[in-house]
């Protein structure tokens, strides 16, 4: 039964639930679209290449939360200066993740799984860490309910691999509801004064 869920049922349930949520949350989707448009600007959507299952590259979709403000030399300002009130509000409620419903419907992502990280990290993983790509990446996962950006990279990757080894319907349900609790509490969003997690530099 575990393999049946892992190989067939999980993706089917993901697509059905994502389609239902996209319909139900359409008003919120539209509201967030105009919130980004008026307070942050164009482009409304943030897109980036990310590695998925078996390291297959796909395009991830999110609502943009940072402005395009630059300094006098034309260089983008630091993240913390470009993440203003509207962007912080959108992130605090995880509204920026809504467009990833399209990624789930396409089959590139799941609701639950290791977060898809940067393509540039692929050459930096050790053998164990690469195992996080044995499953479809998700919007939320074990790392997100156990500290999110407050975790260091080693702990984060260990939780990703733990999920790969123990993937089940029961575990997914547990992660799903604990994620909702985290969103309500707005817990574990950032580490220290940084608005985004420091880049992975490889294993020392």
């Amino acid at each position: 039964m575990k393999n049946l869920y892992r190989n067939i049922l999980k993706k089917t349930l993901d697509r059905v639930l994502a389609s239902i949520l996209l319909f139900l949350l359409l008003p919120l989707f539209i509201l967030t679209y105009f919130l980004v448009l008026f307070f942050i600007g164009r482009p409304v959507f943030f897109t980036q290449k990310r590695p998925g299952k078996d390291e297959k590259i796909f395009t991830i979709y999110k609502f943009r939360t940072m402005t395009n403000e630059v300094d006098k030399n034309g260089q983008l300002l630091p993240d913390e200066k470009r993440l203003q009130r509207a962007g912080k509000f959108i992130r605090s409620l995880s509204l920026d993740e809504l467009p990833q419903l399209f990624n789930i419907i396409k089959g590139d992502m799941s609701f639950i799984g290791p977060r898809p990280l940067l393509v540039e990290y692929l050459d930096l993983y050790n053998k164990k860490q690469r195992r996080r790509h044995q499953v479809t990446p998700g919007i939320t996962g074990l790392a997100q309910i156990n500290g999110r950006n407050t975790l260091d990279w080693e702990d984060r990757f260990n939780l990703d691999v733990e999920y790969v080894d123990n993937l089940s319907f029961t575990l997914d349900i547990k992660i799903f509801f604990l994620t909702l609790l985290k969103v309500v509490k707005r817990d574990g969003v950032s580490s220290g004064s940084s608005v985004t997690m420091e880049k992975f530099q490889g294993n020392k």
Side-chain angles (χ1 to χ4, degrees), residues 103-142:
N103 286 121
I104 294 175
I105 293 172
K106 288 174 61 181
D108 294 326
M109 290 182 64
S110 172
F111 280 102
I112 313 296
R115 283 294 296 170
L117 301 176
L118 300 178
V119 174
E120 65 191 70
Y121 294 171
L122 287 175
D123 293 332
L124 303 178
Y125 297 135
N126 60 33
K127 185 176 181 180
K128 178 182 178 181
Q129 292 165 351
R130 294 189 83 96
R131 294 188 57 229
R132 69 192 308 278
H133 296 292
Q134 291 178 358
V135 299
T136 303
I139 293 178
T140 186
L142 277 180

Side-chain angles (χ1 to χ4, degrees), residues 42-68:
R42 296 181 184 275
V44 173
F45 295 105
F46 168 83
T47 62
Q48 192 175 56
K49 297 295 183 182
R50 299 285 178 92
K53 187 176 185 299
D54 301 323
E55 301 182 2
K56 179 181 178 182
I57 307 301
F58 71 97
T59 300
I60 193 172
Y61 308 115
K62 299 179 73 173
F63 278 119
R64 194 159 66 92
T65 55
M66 290 191 286
T67 67
N68 289 326

Side-chain angles (χ1 to χ4, degrees), residues 91-106:
R91 283 194 184 189
S92 71
L93 296 177
S94 296
L95 297 177
D96 55 318
E97 312 284 359
L98 284 175
Q100 288 170 58
L101 291 172
F102 290 108
N103 286 121
I104 294 175
I105 293 172
K106 288 174 61 181

Side-chain angles (χ1 to χ4, degrees), residues 16 114 136 157:
V16 170
T136 303
F157 291 142

